[in-house]
Every structure is written in C-alpha cells, then in structure tokens.
Amino acid sequence: MTTPPTLSPIEIRRIILSQSYRAHVGHIGSELSVVEILAALYGGAMHIPSPEDPDRDRLVLSKGHAALALYACLALRGWIPMEQLNTFTGDDTLLGVHPEKALRGVDFCSGSLGHGLSIGAGAALAARLQGSKRRVFVLVSDAECNEGSLWEGVMFAAQHKLSNLVVLVDLNGQQAFGYTRDVLDLSPLAARWQAFGWHAQEVPGHDPAAIQAAIQSCSSPAPHVIIARTTFGKGVSFMENLIKWHYWPLSEAEYQQAMAEIEAAA
Amino acid sequence: MRSAFVRTLVELASRDERILLLTGDLGYLALEPFIEAYPSRFFNCGVAEQNMAGMATGLAEAGFIPFIYSIVNFSVMRPFEFIRNGAVLHNLPVRVVGVGGGMAYGTNGATHYGLEDIALMRTQPTMTVIAPADRDQTGPALRATWNLPGPVFYRLGKDDRALVPGLEGRFEEGGLQVVRRGSDLTLLAAGSTAFETVRAADLLAEKGLEAQVVVVSQLNPTPPGLRALLAPFKLALTVEAHYITGGLGSLAAEVIADAGLGTRLVRCGVHSLPDGRTGSQAYLFHRHGMDGGSVAQAALSALQKGSLNAA
C-alpha cells in the first residue's frame, strides 16, 4: 500500500492569504476555518487515484465560499498547476469565489447553502447501487444547518442507512451577519444529528490527525457526521471570530502581519 | 397520461439499468407498476422535494438517469434552485416529471396549479421541456427523449380520455405536430389545451375559416420548424394552460420577432392572478378563455369577423 499523501495546513494558509490578498477578496475567515478539515480529506482520508477516476471518493464543498482552501488543496496535490491559483477571481478564470465543476478536481458546483448534503446523499446512494466502496464527503458550515433542505437530506440518509456518507460540519460559531448562537442557536448540534439517527462525533477541528482518526472510525451502519470545532479566521490573531473577516480583503499591513503570524506558527 | 408514462418507463427500465424513479411521496395508483417491477430502483424520498432534486444530481453524476416525480409545483417550483444548480449547471440527465401541468388539479385550487413551470424551465439553457398533449402521445414523447444527455422536464396532464384528433400518438422530431391543415390562420397548442384547440378549429370551420392546428410538444429548446409553420399566416393564436408570459405564447412571440415575421399573435391562457374561484379543468378553461368556444371567439374578434354565436 502506498503512503497516503499529506497536505501541510501551513502551505494551504499561505495560499489562502497570498491569493486573497492579491485578488483583494474576502471570505478569508471562512477559508482559514476549514484548512485542517480539507488537509485531512485531501491529505489521506479520501481515496482519489486521479480526479478522473469514476470510483474515486467524492467531496461536496457545500460551504462553497471556502473554495480558495479547496483550490489550494487541488494545487498542492498537483491536479491543477500552482500558477493557475494566480487566476483566482480574475476574468476568464475557472477559480471563482465558489467552485465550478469545470475545474479539474472539483466534483460538484456549489455556493448555495443547503444543497450539498442532498447531492452527497444521491452520490452515496449511487455508490451503493453500483456496489462500489467509494465514499462521499460533504463539508457544510454550521450556519448551513439553518437550511431546512439540509435536514431533508439528513432524514433520507438515516432512513436508507447511507453509511458511505460522511458529513463534516465546520463549527466555527459564526455566520454571515452574526454569531450562530445569537441568530439560530444550533446547540446541542451533535445531539440533534444523533436524534435523526446519525453516528455523530465531535473533534478538535484544527487537528488533521484527529479528523482522520474520526473518519477512520466511521464504521457503523448509520451515516456519519463529524462536528469539527473550529475557529473562524484560525491562525491570524486579528481575524479570529470577527464577522468583518467574512467579507473584508486584506490591506498590505494586515497581509504582512497575517503572513508573519502564520510563519511564526510553522 | 400518468399511466402511459409509467408503462413506458417500465418498458425503458427493462432495457436500461440506469433508470431510477424517485417520488416526493406522490403517485398512489400510478407508480405501482414500476415499483412492482423494480423495487430496488424506486425511492420514496418523502415530502422533501428539494432533497429529491439534489439527490438526482448526485445520482446522475455517477451515471444514473433518475426520474423525479411530483405534482408540477412541487417538482419544479419548490426545488427550482436545486434543479438550476444541479441538473442544469452540471448538464446531467435528470428527468423532472411534473404531473398536473396547468389546471389539471382544478378543484385543488391555486396552490396546485402549474401556471409558470414552463416559463421557469424554458429559461434554462440545457433543459428540454416536453409537454405531451394526450395519453397516446405520452409514450412516444418519452421514448424519443429519455436518453438525451442533458436534463428533461416532462409536463404531464391528468386527462386520459380526451385524445387530440389528428395527433394519433405522433411525437415528431422537434416536438411539432400539425394535426389540421388550413390557410386562414394558425392555432398553436401545448399540452392539455390541444383537444380544445382542435375544437376551436372545428367551430371556425363552421364560420368558413380554415385554421392550421399545430400541437407544440417541445417548448425548449425552440423547435426549429416553428418559424416555417408561423410564417405563412397573418394571425396566430397560442393556447396554453399557463400564464401568458413565459410559455407557448412567449415562445411564439420570440420566433415571430426573431424572424421578423408579420404574424399577429393572440395569446390565450391565464392573464391574471387566480382569484380564489376554482372548479373542474373544463370550468377553468372556459373561465380563462382556453376552451374551444373562447379560442374560436378570440380568433373571430382578431379577424373582426363578429361573434361565434351570430347567424
């Protein structure tokens, strides 16, 4: 068996900061929040011999606004050229703010919250009907659990025991116009998924090894949810848990400071 | 129409294992033949149409041809964004089946009308929109389109009795069927109004006017032959159980304007918001000017030929 690839969270953060600074766009806090989750998935947890392999594991990045973190993983895995990252949000690019299937390595278009779990449930059902061992991963935001359609998918997956479906919730406690506890409080989130018949685990969301271990332990007949406790804006002190970093781009001084903090943590 | 559709689907499913059937908890006394033949290829998704449409994306991406079934407002309007971002944006062979297009669920009232479903689906570039006109055309329409590479919307009526004279179950390339020839004006009908539209032509014939009647069973993409069927006429009427905006009337208007034809267009269909008064499909067709008599009168008025009832 070949050694699974590992992805460096530091390298993903470097790409997120440098490309969002270059492109002068926001969503940085949401992207930094999922770095270790995606590093765990693309750094070993997902079985992807090539992005064209029909029997590869699938990912639905249902919180599509974190696409830059995904693009970083695709480039680090060598599926898109590193230079292509420099087209992020430019004219004629395949690397928009939200992912498009036309880009190599992207399994599904996303960007509208509440869609991804349904797509993932269909993909997981397809794998079962085809007798395939492939798995389907869906990365949702915590605020996305506000969407009623998400719970439609939760019910279907439990009813049909889609044990090849793994949902990861980025529990950063923050949404587009407030903190989740103030907008629509989701707690106790794991208990809610469990009540719907899911196998639920909570993990520290910035520990790729813990996330990979949680994925490895997904063997029950029920579908699986891994609630990853994360920090919005993780790794950049002035961004952490501040709503403005859902939107704001970086100034030059902020960029220098953010990069310095990332490098110091390396 | 539903029975013919399901019968044909069972036949196709026996030849192609990719076909799956999903329902949003509807289809009692309609879907059973499929369920009995292929229980492992049928899924009742519950009253959860958004999830059903989203799942169809995941299934089709993996190589299946999922048919998702509900009443038209629940299969099109409720999950429309899921269809747009899923089947359409990924250009996947998802089949959206909407039963009760127009006012087929008459007495159920306005929440159960489908008066804007064609308009919505017709805006989507990869979406083929098929509206069979009667029971006998349903099977041929499905056989001709089920294996298209992109998404398809099937808009079904409920009437199994009224067969459109002259149609004889034909579904021709592009979905245009001339069911009556005439040179004075042309009538275009979509779906459940086709039967009444032929009746309008009969009434006009009694007044000495010969109308060409075209059953338009494909509303997207625009049937290539439509221009040639409109071009010879100074007057065309469209008849549809749909708001006059966005459906067959708009399709004909676009063809006429794009080609610079001199054809005048009268759109028969639902002109205003339903006001709460409901009833059978026949009653509603009359009330909204889509029955044979109303359509014939609209043609006479446009031609300034007086009243249908005048001696």
Side-chain angles (χ1 to χ4, degrees), chain A residues 142-159:
Chain A
D142 48 0
E144 188 172 354
C145 299
N146 294 177
E147 294 276 8
S149 60
L150 176 134
W151 298 100
E152 294 183 2
V154 165
M155 287 188 281
F156 184 95
Q159 177 74 29

Side-chain angles (χ1 to χ4, degrees), chain A residues 58 109 112 115 118 130 152-153, chain B residues 48 51 55 59 61-62 81 90:
Chain A
R58 304 289 200 276
C109 306
S112 181
H115 288 219
S118 295
Q130 291 167 337
E152 294 183 2
Chain B
N51 181 55
M55 279 184 51
L59 287 162
E61 192 272 341
E81 194 202 14
H90 296 78

